[in-house]
Amino acid sequence: MDGLTYTEVGATAGEMPAGSHHVRAHRVIGRGSDVFARAADALLAGEAQRRAGARVVLSETPMREGTRVTMRLGVGILSFRIPCLVVWAERSDTVAGFAYGTLPGHPERGEERFTLTLRPSGEVVFDIAAFSRPGRWFTRVGAPVGRLVQAWMTRRYLRAL
C-alpha cells in the first residue's frame, strides 16, 4: 500500500515485528448479536477514536481497506495530526474490525488493529493489537511519554464501545 511508513503490513493479525513496542488488550463489552451489531457499526464509523477524545475525519464510512483516517489529538500547539490508512477491514456476522497503518506525518510508525468478535458463548469481545516505533524526532526523544499516551488511549478505546 502506497505511502505507509512501515513495511510489516498486516502484522497485527499475527506475530508482530521485533524491535517495536507491542500492545495487546481486550475487553468483554457485552453479550448478544444486538450488542455486536451496534458496536460493529460504531467501530467502522470511527466512534472508538471519537469517543476516546480524538477528532476524526474519514474519507468514507463505514471504513474499508483504503479508507484514509485523519485524527487530531491535543489542543493548540500541542495538537498532533495523525494520518492513517486502513489496510484491513472486515464485517461478518461474528467478526468486525479494521487495522490502520501510519502515513507520513504520523508521530509513530506502525499499525493498530481493532477487532470485535461475537463468540459462540454470546460474549462480544473487543481486541486491540498494535506495534509501533518512533516516527518523528519528538517521539524518539519522548518515547516514555509516548508509551504512556498510547496506554491511556488504548484504555479509552476499550471503554468507548
Side-chain angles (χ1 to χ4, degrees), residues 58-71:
L58 303 176
S59 64
E60 59 194 320
T61 306
M63 284 187 257
R64 63 184 180 93
E65 189 174 314
T67 298
R68 290 192 172 267
V69 178
T70 305
M71 295 176 285

Side-chain angles (χ1 to χ4, degrees), residues 23-32 35-36 38-52 63 88 90 94-100 112-119 122-130 152-161:
V23 172
R24 290 198 185 273
H26 71 277
R27 177 176 171 251
V28 175
I29 64 167
R31 296 185 63 79
V35 169
F36 173 80
R38 282 192 302 277
D41 289 344
L43 181 63
L44 294 173
E47 289 303 314
Q49 287 70 19
R50 281 188 191 93
R51 294 173 187 172
M63 284 187 257
W88 166 80
E90 180 177 342
T94 58
V95 175
F98 69 93
Y100 51 42
E112 194 161 23
R113 179 175 295 252
F114 303 86
T115 310
L116 287 167
T117 306
L118 176 59
R119 292 186 175 165
E123 285 183 325
V124 179
V125 181
F126 185 21
D127 288 288
I128 297 174
W152 178 70
M153 285 302 291
T154 298
R155 287 189 303 274
R156 291 178 64 88
Y157 290 149
L158 287 172
R159 289 192 306 261
L161 294 183

Side-chain angles (χ1 to χ4, degrees), residues 97-109:
F98 69 93
Y100 51 42
T102 57
L103 291 170
H106 194 293
E108 300 281 336
R109 284 190 230 159

Side-chain angles (χ1 to χ4, degrees), residues 128-149:
I128 297 174
F131 66 87
S132 62
R133 297 181 288 277
R136 313 258 306 268
W137 70 268
F138 57 86
T139 50
R140 276 189 291 284
V141 171
V145 172
R147 299 297 167 240
L148 290 172
V149 170

